Amino acid sequence: DIKKFAAIEPGTWASNAQYGIRVYENGNLKDGQVFVYGSEAGTPGFILDGGKTYTFVGYSINSSSSLPTVTNKNTLATATINNVSADLMFFTTNQAVVTGNNNLSVVLKHMFSQVTTKVQVGTLYQGRIEAIGSSNIGGSMTNGSLKLSDGSLTYSGTTTSTPVTFPTITAPVPNITSNPTLLISPAITNATFTLNGLQVNGFSNPISLTGLKINPGKKYNLILTFDAPCIQDVGPVNFNLSNGN
């Protein structure tokens, strides 16, 4: 009897998230089961043969309502998860089973990338962020597919711009942090970041960055610091510039 549990980075695992475990013997499907994180005790373990070594494969999209479909699941060499546009996670290990109870430690790894963007004012002028408009990161793909035998990824669809979502500004703030942005992309060095409608201390300009590096399975913090002097409209004023006054 093989028991089971899953682990994921604290704070990122959805409540009652589903994950699947497939068990392969000599490359052929032996068993499979869907578990709910935190409620594994309510799902039977696998009945396997002591003295044998099995390949265990885990997968999830960190959702309580859906789970990716494994295509050609009966053979490990051909099993794939295709065209995923959500937070795909994956695990695999080879483990020898002994007679009696066995524990399987499942650590699911994020396969795509994640960027959290923070916009802040600098220390030179300080001040506040008064407004922030639409934003996106360009250069990623529409979806990705996973090969269960080795965890390799392929990408399909078109190159796209992924929206970056910031909280609504109801009053001026010194900084603001976006929700995490999921990027489905191979390793690239030409991702772009565009930010419209940023207003700091009364100044407003669109922002465009190029040449950002993205690697699959990595989590990034993009921190942008802006210095803008405070301005005050004083109305019509007579200036006398003679003699340096």
Side-chain angles (χ1 to χ4, degrees), residues 85-128:
S85 57
D87 185 12
L88 179 63
M89 292 183 284
F90 177 68
F91 158 85
T92 185
T93 189
N94 294 319
Q95 182 170 323
V97 174
V98 299
T99 301
N101 288 331
N102 296 258
N103 290 321
L104 177 66
S105 176
V106 180
V107 180
L108 292 159
K109 177 185 177 182
H110 295 273
M111 301 305 293
F112 301 143
S113 306
Q114 186 184 94
V115 178
T116 299
T117 304
K118 181 179 182 180
V119 178
Q120 62 186 17
V121 296
T123 58
L124 180 60
Y125 300 110
Q126 298 185 22
R128 292 292 185 268

Short mmCIF file of all heavy atoms in Angstrom, two decimals, residues 85-128:
data_model
loop_
_atom_site.label_atom_id
_atom_site.label_comp_id
_atom_site.label_asym_id
_atom_site.label_seq_id
_atom_site.Cartn_x
_atom_site.Cartn_y
_atom_site.Cartn_z
N SER A 85 -2.93 26.17 -20.68
CA SER A 85 -2.75 27.62 -20.57
C SER A 85 -2.90 28.08 -19.13
O SER A 85 -3.10 29.27 -18.88
CB SER A 85 -3.76 28.34 -21.47
OG SER A 85 -5.09 27.98 -21.12
N ALA A 86 -2.81 27.14 -18.18
CA ALA A 86 -2.92 27.45 -16.76
C ALA A 86 -1.59 27.14 -16.07
O ALA A 86 -0.59 26.85 -16.73
CB ALA A 86 -4.07 26.64 -16.14
N ASP A 87 -1.58 27.20 -14.73
CA ASP A 87 -0.36 27.04 -13.94
C ASP A 87 0.00 25.55 -13.83
O ASP A 87 -0.25 24.91 -12.81
CB ASP A 87 -0.57 27.66 -12.57
CG ASP A 87 0.69 27.66 -11.72
OD1 ASP A 87 1.77 27.40 -12.25
OD2 ASP A 87 0.58 27.93 -10.50
N LEU A 88 0.63 25.01 -14.85
CA LEU A 88 0.95 23.59 -14.90
C LEU A 88 2.06 23.25 -13.91
O LEU A 88 3.10 23.90 -13.87
CB LEU A 88 1.38 23.21 -16.32
CG LEU A 88 1.78 21.75 -16.56
CD1 LEU A 88 0.59 20.83 -16.30
CD2 LEU A 88 2.31 21.58 -17.98
N MET A 89 1.82 22.18 -13.13
CA MET A 89 2.82 21.69 -12.18
C MET A 89 3.05 20.20 -12.41
O MET A 89 2.13 19.48 -12.81
CB MET A 89 2.36 21.97 -10.75
CG MET A 89 2.34 23.44 -10.41
SD MET A 89 1.91 23.78 -8.70
CE MET A 89 0.14 23.50 -8.77
N PHE A 90 4.28 19.73 -12.11
CA PHE A 90 4.67 18.38 -12.50
C PHE A 90 5.63 17.79 -11.47
O PHE A 90 6.40 18.50 -10.83
CB PHE A 90 5.34 18.42 -13.87
CG PHE A 90 5.86 17.11 -14.37
CD1 PHE A 90 4.99 16.09 -14.71
CD2 PHE A 90 7.23 16.89 -14.48
CE1 PHE A 90 5.47 14.86 -15.17
CE2 PHE A 90 7.72 15.68 -14.94
CZ PHE A 90 6.83 14.66 -15.28
N PHE A 91 5.56 16.46 -11.34
CA PHE A 91 6.43 15.72 -10.43
C PHE A 91 6.68 14.34 -11.00
O PHE A 91 5.78 13.73 -11.59
CB PHE A 91 5.76 15.59 -9.06
CG PHE A 91 6.27 14.46 -8.22
CD1 PHE A 91 7.41 14.63 -7.43
CD2 PHE A 91 5.62 13.23 -8.20
CE1 PHE A 91 7.89 13.58 -6.66
CE2 PHE A 91 6.10 12.18 -7.43
CZ PHE A 91 7.23 12.35 -6.65
N THR A 92 7.89 13.82 -10.85
CA THR A 92 8.16 12.43 -11.23
C THR A 92 9.30 11.89 -10.38
O THR A 92 10.22 12.63 -10.01
CB THR A 92 8.51 12.31 -12.73
OG1 THR A 92 8.64 10.92 -13.06
CG2 THR A 92 9.79 13.04 -13.07
N THR A 93 9.21 10.60 -10.07
CA THR A 93 10.27 9.93 -9.32
C THR A 93 10.17 8.43 -9.55
O THR A 93 9.09 7.91 -9.86
CB THR A 93 10.17 10.23 -7.81
OG1 THR A 93 11.34 9.74 -7.15
CG2 THR A 93 8.95 9.58 -7.18
N ASN A 94 11.29 7.74 -9.42
CA ASN A 94 11.31 6.28 -9.40
C ASN A 94 11.50 5.84 -7.95
O ASN A 94 12.41 6.33 -7.26
CB ASN A 94 12.46 5.73 -10.26
CG ASN A 94 12.26 6.04 -11.73
OD1 ASN A 94 11.16 5.94 -12.26
ND2 ASN A 94 13.34 6.41 -12.41
N GLN A 95 10.65 4.95 -7.48
CA GLN A 95 10.71 4.54 -6.08
C GLN A 95 10.50 3.04 -5.95
O GLN A 95 9.56 2.48 -6.52
CB GLN A 95 9.66 5.30 -5.26
CG GLN A 95 9.68 4.97 -3.78
CD GLN A 95 8.81 5.89 -2.96
OE1 GLN A 95 8.71 7.09 -3.24
NE2 GLN A 95 8.16 5.35 -1.93
N ALA A 96 11.39 2.41 -5.19
CA ALA A 96 11.24 1.00 -4.88
C ALA A 96 10.21 0.84 -3.76
O ALA A 96 10.21 1.61 -2.79
CB ALA A 96 12.58 0.41 -4.47
N VAL A 97 9.35 -0.15 -3.89
CA VAL A 97 8.29 -0.41 -2.92
C VAL A 97 8.65 -1.65 -2.11
O VAL A 97 9.07 -2.67 -2.67
CB VAL A 97 6.94 -0.60 -3.65
CG1 VAL A 97 5.85 -1.01 -2.67
CG2 VAL A 97 6.55 0.69 -4.37
N VAL A 98 8.50 -1.55 -0.79
CA VAL A 98 8.74 -2.68 0.09
C VAL A 98 7.41 -3.23 0.57
O VAL A 98 6.37 -2.56 0.49
CB VAL A 98 9.62 -2.28 1.29
CG1 VAL A 98 10.97 -1.78 0.81
CG2 VAL A 98 8.94 -1.19 2.13
N THR A 99 7.41 -4.45 1.08
CA THR A 99 6.18 -5.04 1.61
C THR A 99 5.71 -4.24 2.82
O THR A 99 6.50 -3.91 3.71
CB THR A 99 6.43 -6.50 2.00
OG1 THR A 99 6.87 -7.22 0.85
CG2 THR A 99 5.15 -7.14 2.54
N GLY A 100 4.43 -3.91 2.87
CA GLY A 100 3.88 -3.07 3.94
C GLY A 100 3.52 -1.70 3.42
O GLY A 100 3.35 -1.49 2.21
N ASN A 101 3.39 -0.75 4.32
CA ASN A 101 3.02 0.62 3.94
C ASN A 101 4.25 1.39 3.46
O ASN A 101 5.33 1.30 4.04
CB ASN A 101 2.39 1.36 5.12
CG ASN A 101 1.00 0.84 5.42
OD1 ASN A 101 0.30 0.36 4.53
ND2 ASN A 101 0.59 0.92 6.68
N ASN A 102 4.06 2.19 2.40
CA ASN A 102 5.11 3.04 1.85
C ASN A 102 4.56 4.46 1.73
O ASN A 102 3.37 4.65 1.45
CB ASN A 102 5.53 2.55 0.47
CG ASN A 102 6.16 1.18 0.48
OD1 ASN A 102 7.37 1.05 0.39
ND2 ASN A 102 5.35 0.13 0.58
N ASN A 103 5.41 5.43 1.90
CA ASN A 103 5.03 6.84 1.74
C ASN A 103 5.64 7.40 0.47
O ASN A 103 6.81 7.14 0.15
CB ASN A 103 5.48 7.68 2.93
CG ASN A 103 4.69 7.36 4.18
OD1 ASN A 103 3.48 7.13 4.12
ND2 ASN A 103 5.36 7.33 5.33
N LEU A 104 4.86 8.19 -0.24
CA LEU A 104 5.33 8.87 -1.44
C LEU A 104 5.30 10.37 -1.18
O LEU A 104 4.25 10.94 -0.93
CB LEU A 104 4.44 8.53 -2.64
CG LEU A 104 4.78 9.25 -3.96
CD1 LEU A 104 6.15 8.80 -4.47
CD2 LEU A 104 3.69 9.01 -4.99
N SER A 105 6.46 10.99 -1.21
CA SER A 105 6.55 12.45 -1.02
C SER A 105 6.45 13.12 -2.38
O SER A 105 7.32 12.95 -3.23
CB SER A 105 7.87 12.81 -0.34
OG SER A 105 8.00 14.21 -0.23
N VAL A 106 5.39 13.88 -2.59
CA VAL A 106 5.12 14.51 -3.88
C VAL A 106 5.38 16.01 -3.77
O VAL A 106 4.71 16.70 -3.02
CB VAL A 106 3.67 14.25 -4.32
CG1 VAL A 106 3.40 14.92 -5.67
CG2 VAL A 106 3.39 12.75 -4.40
N VAL A 107 6.35 16.50 -4.52
CA VAL A 107 6.63 17.94 -4.57
C VAL A 107 6.41 18.39 -6.00
O VAL A 107 7.19 18.07 -6.90
CB VAL A 107 8.06 18.26 -4.11
CG1 VAL A 107 8.31 19.77 -4.18
CG2 VAL A 107 8.31 17.75 -2.69
N LEU A 108 5.35 19.13 -6.23
CA LEU A 108 4.98 19.57 -7.57
C LEU A 108 5.74 20.84 -7.94
O LEU A 108 5.77 21.81 -7.19
CB LEU A 108 3.48 19.81 -7.64
CG LEU A 108 2.62 18.54 -7.50
CD1 LEU A 108 1.20 18.89 -7.08
CD2 LEU A 108 2.61 17.77 -8.79
N LYS A 109 6.34 20.83 -9.11
CA LYS A 109 7.15 21.95 -9.58
C LYS A 109 6.40 22.75 -10.63
O LYS A 109 5.82 22.18 -11.56
CB LYS A 109 8.46 21.43 -10.17
CG LYS A 109 9.36 22.51 -10.76
CD LYS A 109 10.57 21.90 -11.44
CE LYS A 109 11.42 22.99 -12.10
NZ LYS A 109 12.60 22.40 -12.81
N HIS A 110 6.42 24.07 -10.49
CA HIS A 110 5.83 24.94 -11.52
C HIS A 110 6.65 24.81 -12.81
O HIS A 110 7.87 24.96 -12.81
CB HIS A 110 5.84 26.40 -11.06
CG HIS A 110 4.97 26.66 -9.88
ND1 HIS A 110 3.63 26.96 -9.98
CD2 HIS A 110 5.25 26.67 -8.55
CE1 HIS A 110 3.12 27.14 -8.78
NE2 HIS A 110 4.09 26.97 -7.90
N MET A 111 5.97 24.55 -13.91
CA MET A 111 6.65 24.37 -15.18
C MET A 111 6.75 25.65 -16.00
O MET A 111 7.65 25.79 -16.84
CB MET A 111 5.92 23.29 -16.00
CG MET A 111 5.85 21.94 -15.31
SD MET A 111 7.47 21.29 -14.81
CE MET A 111 8.23 21.00 -16.41
N PHE A 112 5.83 26.58 -15.79
CA PHE A 112 5.87 27.85 -16.50
C PHE A 112 6.50 28.92 -15.61
O PHE A 112 6.96 28.63 -14.50
CB PHE A 112 4.47 28.24 -16.96
CG PHE A 112 3.82 27.23 -17.88
CD1 PHE A 112 2.46 26.96 -17.81
CD2 PHE A 112 4.58 26.54 -18.81
CE1 PHE A 112 1.87 26.04 -18.65
CE2 PHE A 112 4.01 25.61 -19.67
CZ PHE A 112 2.64 25.35 -19.59
N SER A 113 6.52 30.14 -16.06
CA SER A 113 7.16 31.23 -15.33
C SER A 113 6.12 32.15 -14.69
O SER A 113 4.96 32.19 -15.10
CB SER A 113 8.05 32.05 -16.27
OG SER A 113 8.97 31.22 -16.94
N GLN A 114 6.58 32.91 -13.70
CA GLN A 114 5.69 33.83 -13.00
C GLN A 114 6.45 35.12 -12.70
O GLN A 114 7.59 35.08 -12.24
CB GLN A 114 5.20 33.19 -11.70
CG GLN A 114 4.15 34.00 -10.95
CD GLN A 114 3.79 33.34 -9.62
OE1 GLN A 114 4.35 33.67 -8.58
NE2 GLN A 114 2.86 32.41 -9.66
N VAL A 115 5.81 36.25 -12.98
CA VAL A 115 6.42 37.56 -12.73
C VAL A 115 5.49 38.39 -11.86
O VAL A 115 4.29 38.53 -12.17
CB VAL A 115 6.70 38.31 -14.06
CG1 VAL A 115 7.29 39.69 -13.77
CG2 VAL A 115 7.62 37.51 -14.96
N THR A 116 6.02 38.92 -10.77
CA THR A 116 5.29 39.87 -9.94
C THR A 116 5.96 41.24 -10.10
O THR A 116 7.17 41.37 -9.90
CB THR A 116 5.31 39.44 -8.47
OG1 THR A 116 4.68 38.17 -8.34
CG2 THR A 116 4.56 40.45 -7.61
N THR A 117 5.19 42.24 -10.49
CA THR A 117 5.73 43.56 -10.80
C THR A 117 5.39 44.54 -9.67
O THR A 117 4.25 44.66 -9.26
CB THR A 117 5.14 44.09 -12.12
OG1 THR A 117 5.41 43.14 -13.16
CG2 THR A 117 5.76 45.42 -12.49
N LYS A 118 6.42 45.23 -9.20
CA LYS A 118 6.25 46.26 -8.18
C LYS A 118 6.69 47.61 -8.75
O LYS A 118 7.78 47.74 -9.29
CB LYS A 118 7.06 45.95 -6.92
CG LYS A 118 6.92 46.98 -5.81
CD LYS A 118 7.73 46.59 -4.59
CE LYS A 118 7.55 47.60 -3.46
NZ LYS A 118 8.34 47.23 -2.25
N VAL A 119 5.81 48.59 -8.65
CA VAL A 119 6.12 49.95 -9.07
C VAL A 119 6.21 50.81 -7.82
O VAL A 119 5.31 50.79 -6.97
CB VAL A 119 5.04 50.50 -10.02
CG1 VAL A 119 5.34 51.94 -10.41
CG2 VAL A 119 4.92 49.62 -11.26
N GLN A 120 7.31 51.56 -7.69
CA GLN A 120 7.52 52.37 -6.49
C GLN A 120 8.17 53.69 -6.84
O GLN A 120 8.77 53.84 -7.90
CB GLN A 120 8.39 51.61 -5.48
CG GLN A 120 9.79 51.30 -5.99
CD GLN A 120 10.60 50.43 -5.05
OE1 GLN A 120 10.05 49.79 -4.15
NE2 GLN A 120 11.90 50.39 -5.24
N VAL A 121 8.04 54.65 -5.92
CA VAL A 121 8.72 55.94 -6.10
C VAL A 121 10.07 55.86 -5.43
O VAL A 121 10.28 55.13 -4.46
CB VAL A 121 7.88 57.10 -5.53
CG1 VAL A 121 6.57 57.26 -6.27
CG2 VAL A 121 7.64 56.89 -4.04
N GLY A 122 11.02 56.64 -5.97
CA GLY A 122 12.37 56.65 -5.41
C GLY A 122 12.50 57.57 -4.21
O GLY A 122 11.54 58.23 -3.78
N THR A 123 13.71 57.63 -3.67
CA THR A 123 13.97 58.44 -2.47
C THR A 123 14.37 59.87 -2.80
O THR A 123 14.43 60.71 -1.91
CB THR A 123 15.08 57.78 -1.64
OG1 THR A 123 16.26 57.66 -2.44
CG2 THR A 123 14.65 56.40 -1.17
N LEU A 124 14.66 60.16 -4.09
CA LEU A 124 15.13 61.50 -4.43
C LEU A 124 14.04 62.53 -4.24
O LEU A 124 14.24 63.56 -3.59
CB LEU A 124 15.63 61.51 -5.89
CG LEU A 124 16.17 62.84 -6.41
CD1 LEU A 124 17.36 63.29 -5.57
CD2 LEU A 124 16.57 62.71 -7.88
N TYR A 125 12.86 62.29 -4.82
CA TYR A 125 11.74 63.22 -4.69
C TYR A 125 10.60 62.64 -3.86
O TYR A 125 9.71 63.36 -3.42
CB TYR A 125 11.19 63.59 -6.07
CG TYR A 125 12.20 64.26 -6.97
CD1 TYR A 125 12.71 63.60 -8.08
CD2 TYR A 125 12.64 65.55 -6.69
CE1 TYR A 125 13.64 64.22 -8.90
CE2 TYR A 125 13.57 66.17 -7.52
CZ TYR A 125 14.06 65.50 -8.62
OH TYR A 125 14.99 66.12 -9.43
N GLN A 126 10.62 61.32 -3.69
CA GLN A 126 9.56 60.61 -2.97
C GLN A 126 8.21 60.89 -3.65
O GLN A 126 8.06 60.67 -4.83
CB GLN A 126 9.60 60.99 -1.49
CG GLN A 126 10.91 60.57 -0.83
CD GLN A 126 10.92 60.83 0.65
OE1 GLN A 126 9.88 60.92 1.30
NE2 GLN A 126 12.11 60.91 1.22
N GLY A 127 7.24 61.39 -2.93
CA GLY A 127 5.95 61.62 -3.55
C GLY A 127 5.11 60.36 -3.59
O GLY A 127 5.36 59.40 -2.85
N ARG A 128 4.13 60.33 -4.50
CA ARG A 128 3.16 59.24 -4.51
C ARG A 128 2.80 58.85 -5.95
O ARG A 128 2.86 59.66 -6.89
CB ARG A 128 1.88 59.66 -3.77
CG ARG A 128 2.06 59.84 -2.26
CD ARG A 128 2.31 58.50 -1.60
NE ARG A 128 2.37 58.60 -0.14
CZ ARG A 128 3.51 58.78 0.54
NH1 ARG A 128 4.66 58.92 -0.12
NH2 ARG A 128 3.49 58.83 1.85
#
